[in-house]
Amino acid sequence: MALSFGFVDGDYSRSSVSVLGRNSAASRVREMSVVGGTRVFRLARGYAVAETYWLNVLTGDAIVHYNVTVVHY
């Protein structure tokens, strides 16, 4: 899965963090890598832990909590 978190307000406005990794919805908790970002987060590194709180397998709807740790210059 490739995912970008974009910031729209505050000190990080117009910056983003990019996450890449396997995101198996069948696993309750999974870990992915922060592989970079834009503006403030150029050359960012870190990890994201995704935890599914609710999943409807019939519709594909889900509530997922992402905890992202980022190191940037």
Side-chain angles (χ1 to χ4, degrees):
M1 176 175 124
L3 178 68
S4 290
F5 292 100
F7 297 87
V8 295
D9 199 10
D11 293 339
Y12 304 120
S13 180
R14 297 176 29 217
S15 299
S16 68
V17 173
S18 298
V19 176
L20 180 68
R22 186 166 187 263
N23 189 8
S24 174
S27 299
R28 185 167 180 268
V29 177
R30 54 252 181 227
E31 185 173 313
M32 294 165 274
S33 300
V34 171
V35 295
T38 62
R39 297 183 55 92
V40 174
F41 296 107
R42 289 182 190 149
L43 299 175
R45 294 291 178 260
Y47 62 94
V49 176
E51 184 174 358
T52 302
Y53 286 101
W54 178 80
L55 173 64
N56 183 329
V57 293
L58 297 177
T59 64
D61 294 336
I63 297 173
V64 180
H65 176 259
Y66 287 87
N67 188 352
V68 183
T69 301
V70 179
V71 177
H72 64 96
Y73 300 96

